Amino acid sequence: MQILATVLVAFVALLHVYILMLEMFWWTSPKGRRAFGTTETFAEQTKVLAANQGLYNGFLAAGLFTGLALGEDGRLFKLFFLGCVIVAGIYGGLTASRKILFIQALPAVLALICVVFSHG
């Protein structure tokens, strides 16, 4: 279970690095607009807001990577930052797009369950 927990936490962290890239650097590109279903005009008007949002996703990833780097001592980091991802995913799923529940919240829930049950 420990290996699965590590893999899932790493996946969630990498996912948030990817989201950071989409929001901070690719927001106005065709790739970024396609990912979020935005128009060119909307993307241009909101690129500063998106970059700020991307920075927060980077903080989530950094917290999860810190938890992984600390090994057993990083358990609380993993639990806290996975909880943050879950809350953000639920909020996004309820307010922005239901698919966020599956893309962001569900992987974090699975990782959280594995972290909880991999530590006696």
Side-chain angles (χ1 to χ4, degrees):
M1 183 72 80
Q2 179 67 38
I3 293 171
L4 181 59
T6 298
V7 168
L8 288 174
V9 171
F11 172 78
V12 173
L14 290 170
L15 174 63
H16 282 77
V17 169
Y18 180 68
I19 295 169
L20 172 149
M21 298 298 292
L22 283 169
E23 292 174 340
M24 291 189 82
F25 305 111
W26 302 327
W27 183 256
T28 59
S29 73
K31 179 180 193 164
R33 293 194 322 270
R34 189 170 45 255
F36 294 101
T38 61
T39 64
E40 189 173 348
T41 301
F42 179 83
E44 280 298 326
Q45 292 172 341
T46 59
K47 66 183 176 183
V48 173
L49 294 172
N52 186 56
Q53 202 168 270
L55 186 61
Y56 286 100
N57 279 292
F59 293 144
L60 294 173
L64 292 171
F65 284 129
T66 299
L68 289 170
L70 292 172
E72 276 297 310
D73 292 336
R75 182 171 188 257
L76 292 178
F77 271 87
K78 294 174 210 170
L79 294 173
F80 175 77
F81 283 97
L82 287 169
C84 290
V85 170
I86 292 165
V87 170
I90 291 170
Y91 183 80
L94 295 173
T95 61
S97 170
R98 193 170 305 277
K99 73 179 184 177
I100 296 172
L101 290 170
F102 302 101
I103 292 171
Q104 188 175 11
L106 181 60
V109 166
L110 297 174
L112 182 79
I113 290 168
C114 288
V115 169
V116 167
F117 287 106
S118 68
H119 298 82

